[in-house]
């Protein structure tokens, strides 16, 4: 569910440089690169090697077409929402704080929220931010009766606000949002609802705007070469203060080996998800290797409409058949941690009692026999070859395939491109009608709990249903206190563990590598990242 570039000068070596410099170049080449690299752009420039296979669509919430990585590097940079996550600290789970709204107040039954909008903000094209601009954008996302409604945006970027009933301008700097029933955590779900310049959308049209995006965010659009790079420049008029870095360049590099090669050569100065085997050497060479717990889970989502996954004993059996610690130690090299239940450690709902699974192949075989499969069975798994939060999916799934074969479960792996998988997933489907789907997910926005597991959710791809879990999600919408809501999610997590609708595998630790010339970045406990305090040089 939904992530440093620096003046990267290609290090062309010339005989004119003289023997001492040439010798140094050969030494750096033998070592595999330099942590001070950064080529391809001059000045105070951050160049990011993404896991995505392409630059996300640049229109507000459509950046989610490349998962949370698209929102991390495009949505949160070009745009603002009414609210946002506080990404300034690395030692605590980020809270929701004001963004384009300075404050918000619910009514007594949590069905109506009044947002006081931030004054003095303008879009990159000079259009004023106000309640009219807010209503125009919400029309695009959610109001199917509006001439400004955009179906494609609604289908992807509007998922988190599907329960909004209506909205209207109270005055120039006041917006009211009414909901279909109580919605205690609406401010959390609004964090990825981004606002575009009405002037620009009307001038360019929806498709044209995606090529010339205009927001209020800390960076402005400069240029796009589809499949190769997006260039954004600092918004020197940003309402929260101009970013310290002058320019950000995004480069889609889905192959992890190619990403680390680009880092070592100086073509980029920040990469997402280094190959785990390269991490020790990158540290030795002086690169900054950063990790932190965050709200991430890497599961297989069972297709519960198909046998044998309509049987809870089968689903539980697989959760006892896999060696998560060996996966972490041997393939991920400590860049993740075993997921022993449904609640990530970096979620406010986590309780030690939520960890329930372990590695016990004998127990797995016993459960399979009790379910009527003493000799096991065959199944198919659809999985992405790269993408946001997916780590190194091919070797990981190959290792799981081996573990499951040891208890008689034969798994056919069916790779699919990340964006194509997301298209199916957001439509509530498992690609190729496979028996299970491997995808990286999160509960960072509270509404995701209901999205993944709610009986009435349109994107509940596994078709899980439990009235007790539904009741806990419904109650959570009526509870304003964050801590009390987290207790409800913990209870839901324990029920999910009992029902085992997923094979839960690991929680990622969000590894990324920065060149030594990148300064000021805080690795948060979040999928997202604040690029405004970074400098390069």
């Amino acid at each position: 569910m939904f992530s440093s570039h620096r003046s990267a000068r290609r290090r062309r070596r010339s005989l004119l440089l003289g023997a001492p410099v040439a010798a140094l170049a050969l030494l750096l080449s033998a070592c595999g690169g330099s942590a001070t690299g950064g080529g391809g752009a001059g000045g105070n420039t951050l160049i990011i090697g993404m896991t995505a296979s392409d630059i996300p669509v640049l229109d507000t919430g459509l950046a989610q077409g490349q998962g949370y990585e698209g929102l991390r590097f495009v949505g949160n940079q070009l745009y603002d929402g009414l609210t946002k996550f506080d990404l300034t600290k690395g030692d605590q789970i980020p809270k929701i704080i004001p963004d384009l709204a300075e404050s918000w107040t619910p009514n007594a039954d949590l069905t109506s929220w009044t947002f006081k909008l931030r004054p003095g903000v303008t879009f990159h094209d000079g259009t004023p931010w106000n309640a009219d601009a807010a209503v125009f954008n919400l029309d695009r996302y959610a109001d199917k009766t509006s001439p400004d409604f955009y179906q494609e945006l609604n289908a992807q970027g509007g998922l988190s606000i599907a329960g909004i009933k209506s909205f209207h301008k109270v005055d120039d700097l006041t917006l009211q949002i009414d909901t279909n029933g109580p919605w205690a955590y609406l401010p959390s779900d609004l964090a990825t609802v981004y606002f575009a310049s009405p002037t620009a959308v009307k001038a360019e049209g929806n498709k044209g705007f995606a090529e010339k995006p205009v927001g209020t965010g800390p960076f402005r659009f400069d240029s796009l070469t589809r499949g190769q790079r997006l260039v954004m420049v600092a918004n020197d008029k940003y309402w929260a203060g101009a970013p310290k870095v002058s320019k950000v360049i995004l480069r889609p590099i889905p192959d992890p080996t190619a990403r680390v090669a680009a880092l070592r050569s100086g073509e980029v100065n920040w990469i997402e998800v280094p190959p785990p085997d390269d991490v020790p050497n990158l540290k030795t060479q002086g690169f900054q290797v950063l990790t932190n717990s965050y709200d991430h889970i890497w599961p297989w989502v069972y297709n519960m409409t198909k046998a044998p996954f309509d049987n809870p004993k089968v689903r539980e059996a697989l959760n006892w058949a896999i060696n998560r610690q060996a996966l972490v130690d041997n393939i991920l090299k400590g860049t993740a941690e075993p997921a022993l239940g449904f609640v990530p450690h970096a979620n406010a709902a986590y309780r030690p009692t939520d960890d329930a699974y372990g590695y016990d192949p004998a127990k797995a075989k016993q459960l399979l026999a009790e379910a009527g499969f003493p000799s096991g069975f065959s199944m198919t798994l659809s999985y992405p070859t790269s993408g946001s939060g997916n780590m190194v999916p091919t070797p990981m799934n190959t290792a799981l395939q081996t573990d499951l074969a040891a208890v008689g479960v034969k798994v056919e792996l069916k790779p699919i491109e990340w964006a194509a998988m997301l298209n199916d997933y957001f439509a509530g489907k498992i690609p190729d009608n496979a028996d299970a789907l491997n995808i990286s997910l999160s509960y960072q926005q509270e509404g995701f709990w209901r999205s993944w597991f709610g009986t009435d959710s349109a994107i509940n791809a596994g078709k899980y249903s439990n009235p007790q879990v539904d009741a806990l999600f419904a109650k959570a919408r009526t509870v304003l206190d964050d801590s009390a809501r987290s207790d409800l999610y913990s209870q839901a997590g324990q029920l999910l563990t009992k029902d085992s609708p997923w094979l839960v595998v690991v929680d990622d630790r969000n590894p990324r590598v920065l060149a030594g010339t990148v300064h000021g970045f805080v690795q948060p406990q979040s999928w997202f990242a604040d690029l405004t305090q970074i400098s390069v040089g």
Side-chain angles (χ1 to χ4, degrees), residues 38-77:
N44 180 19
T45 301
L46 182 66
I47 311 176
I48 299 174
M50 303 171 64
T51 70
S53 58
D54 198 357
I55 298 297
V57 176
L58 305 183
D59 184 342
T60 57
L62 288 174
Q64 190 168 264
Q66 291 292 347
Y68 254 20
E69 187 178 44
L71 301 188
R72 177 191 307 139
F73 288 134
V74 173
N76 288 340
Q77 311 312 324

Side-chain angles (χ1 to χ4, degrees), residues 252-458:
I253 310 177
D255 181 74
T257 302
R259 280 198 303 277
V260 79
L263 179 71
R264 283 180 166 141
S265 70
E267 293 178 31
V268 304
N269 47 25
W270 166 314
I271 63 170
E272 298 291 280
V273 194
D277 285 340
D278 286 324
V279 165
N281 189 246
L282 288 166
K283 289 180 179 178
T284 300
Q285 291 174 340
F287 290 97
Q288 304 174 64
V289 179
L290 307 177
T291 62
N292 205 345
S293 294
Y294 70 120
D295 195 336
H296 171 281
I297 191 164
W298 195 90
W300 289 7
V301 178
Y302 299 132
N303 188 340
M304 294 176 58
T305 67
K306 300 175 64 177
F309 295 103
D310 54 350
N311 189 321
K313 285 190 175 181
V314 169
R315 302 193 300 264
E316 183 185 355
L318 271 60
N319 270 299
W320 289 99
I322 61 171
N323 191 338
R324 298 169 178 85
Q325 192 62 55
L327 189 68
V328 167
D329 293 342
N330 299 331
I331 292 178
L332 299 173
K333 307 297 184 183
T335 59
E337 53 197 12
L340 304 179
F342 277 74
V343 187
H345 293 177
N347 185 285
Y350 174 74
R351 311 288 184 268
T353 54
D354 294 332
D355 288 344
Y357 301 125
Y359 178 48
D360 190 338
K363 183 171 183 175
K365 289 181 178 180
Q366 177 186 342
L367 288 167
L368 287 172
E370 292 174 1
F373 298 93
S375 301
F377 57 87
S378 298
M379 64 172 290
T380 56
L381 174 77
S382 179
Y383 78 96
T385 53
S386 65
S388 177
N390 287 313
M391 298 183 282
V392 286
T394 297
M396 292 170 70
N397 282 309
T398 301
L400 296 175
Q401 182 185 46
T402 300
D403 284 346
L404 293 173
V407 299
V409 177
K410 299 176 181 64
V411 183
E412 179 188 353
L413 301 178
K414 305 180 74 172
I416 185 173
E417 195 273 327
W418 175 229
M421 168 168 281
L422 285 180
N423 285 337
D424 280 344
Y425 189 75
F426 287 139
K429 298 187 296 185
I430 292 180
D432 296 326
N433 196 32
D435 297 302
L437 162 74
N438 169 222
I439 187 171
S440 61
L441 295 170
S442 172
Y443 316 116
Q444 176 171 303
Q445 291 169 258
E446 288 187 39
F448 286 162
W449 285 92
R450 188 177 180 183
S451 294
W452 309 152
F453 301 113
T455 299
D456 62 350
S457 169

Side-chain angles (χ1 to χ4, degrees), residues 80-200:
D80 293 309
L82 293 172
T83 63
K84 66 178 178 180
F85 291 96
D86 182 357
L87 304 174
T88 63
K89 306 174 183 67
D91 58 355
Q92 58 187 257
I93 297 170
K95 302 289 188 183
I96 288 291
I97 59 174
D99 201 11
L100 288 178
E102 286 191 315
S103 64
W104 46 87
T105 307
N107 66 352
D109 62 3
L110 306 179
T111 60
S112 182
W113 290 77
T114 301
F115 293 84
K116 293 295 184 181
L117 306 184
R118 189 176 299 279
V121 176
T122 59
F123 290 91
H124 301 152
D125 60 1
T127 299
W129 160 251
N130 53 31
D132 290 321
V135 168
F136 171 83
N137 277 272
L138 292 174
D139 280 342
R140 291 187 83 217
Y141 274 99
D143 186 358
K144 296 181 179 181
T145 68
S146 169
D148 298 314
F149 177 71
Y150 186 14
Q151 177 60 48
E152 188 175 346
L153 178 60
N154 172 266
Q156 193 165 97
L159 290 172
S160 62
I161 55 168
I164 286 180
K165 179 181 179 181
S166 62
F167 41 85
H168 67 273
K169 167 185 175 180
V170 177
D171 58 43
D172 282 350
L173 291 175
T174 308
L175 172 72
Q176 182 174 316
I177 298 178
D178 298 322
T179 61
N180 293 316
W183 199 338
Y185 49 84
L186 177 63
S188 169
D189 286 350
L190 286 170
T192 57
V193 176
Y194 304 110
F195 291 84
S197 163
T199 303

